[in-house]
């Protein structure tokens, strides 16, 4: 088995979509970067790699057995053993995961560029290990888990705010004040006011959802900021993204 040493990781916990596991250039100073002392490296096929990267389902038992207690973390000069963690690659992309003792890839991280290149060098010319996925459930995208196409080209901040907007729209759809939907659709597209007056609540909501689904713009941001006003949980998320120091972590290269 191949092993890597002294890896810097930036864990994103509970993320089922790969676009939420940020690449190194999007890491922030306030992220909790950790040092992995030793971790196994697995070359796997494309299907399994994308399954791990873009889902939170049970990992193959044989894979878990192969990596059991082979990872060591270092913190304050103390070395601790991790039950199930590994670096995986399909030869084109790289991901690190830690199951926190479960059988799901609960925590995921990318690598810094220098260590990513090392991964590709280490697996060059080797054959992928094959692990069979037990009873996989087909992946479904929805308003609270948008497809990669709907997040393509967005920055970390824009992705976070777009997820916040979708949470607010989902809440709006199930609110006790359906008349608000038409109001917010008019805010989004005031030129359609006369047309909007004739729409049902559900049709208005569909127009608003599909209208905001593509891309991210100043118009998206303004709608999001207005929609979440007066809702402490959403406002905290909004403030967190807007107060974040955008400076990147100094390059580890």
């Amino acid at each position: 088995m191949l092993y890597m040493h002294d890896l810097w990781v930036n864990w994103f916990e509970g993320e089922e979509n790969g676009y939420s596991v940020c690449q190194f250039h999007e890491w922030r100073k306030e992220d909790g970067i950790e040092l992995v002392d030793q971790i196994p490296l697995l070359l796997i096929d494309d299907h399994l790699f994308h399954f791990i990267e873009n889902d939170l389902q049970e990992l193959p038992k044989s894979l878990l057995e192969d990596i059991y207690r082979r990872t060591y973390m270092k913190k304050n000069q103390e070395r601790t053993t991790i039950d199930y963690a590994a670096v995986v690659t399909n030869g084109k992309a790289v991901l690190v995961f830690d199951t926190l003792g479960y059988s799901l890839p609960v925590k995921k991280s990318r690598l810094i560029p220098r260590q990513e290149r090392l991964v590709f060098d280490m697996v060059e010319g080797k054959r992928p290990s094959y692990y069979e996925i037990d009873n996989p459930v087909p992946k479904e995208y929805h308003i609270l888990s948008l497809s990669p196409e709907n997040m393509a080209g967005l920055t970390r901040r824009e992705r976070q705010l777009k997820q916040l907007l979708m949470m607010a729209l989902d809440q709006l759809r199930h609110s006790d004040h359906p008349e608000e939907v038409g109001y917010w659709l008019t805010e989004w597209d005031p030129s359609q006011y006369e047309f909007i007056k004739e729409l049902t609540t559900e049709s208005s909501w569909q127009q608003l959802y599909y209208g905001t689904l593509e891309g991210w713009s100043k118009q998206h941001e303004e709608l999001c900021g207005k929609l979440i006003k007066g809702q402490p949980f959403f406002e905290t998320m909004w403030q967190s993204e807007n107060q974040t120091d955008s400076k990147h972590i100094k390059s580890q290269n």
Side-chain angles (χ1 to χ4, degrees), residues 14-18 20 52-56 108 139-140 142 144-145:
E15 297 292 356
E16 62 174 309
N17 294 305
S20 295
I52 297 172
E53 183 183 37
N54 294 297
D55 226 320
L56 276 176
K108 302 174 188 179
K139 173 86 180 209
E140 291 185 6
H142 50 80
L144 300 180
S145 178

Side-chain angles (χ1 to χ4, degrees), residues 66-99:
D66 283 351
I67 64 174
Y68 181 60
R69 298 185 72 81
R70 292 175 181 262
T71 295
Y72 299 93
M73 299 289 292
K74 188 180 283 185
K75 194 172 185 180
N76 300 326
Q77 302 305 312
E78 290 187 14
R79 203 170 185 244
T80 56
T81 307
I82 304 299
D83 284 349
Y84 303 110
V87 179
V88 290
T89 181
N90 59 352
K92 299 182 280 290
V94 182
L95 188 77
V96 192
F97 72 82
D98 177 0
T99 72

Side-chain angles (χ1 to χ4, degrees), residues 128-147:
S129 299
Y130 177 73
Y131 298 98
E132 187 170 354
I133 303 168
D134 300 322
N135 305 314
V137 178
K139 173 86 180 209
E140 291 185 6
Y141 295 105
H142 50 80
I143 189 170
L144 300 180
S145 178
L146 297 181
S147 73

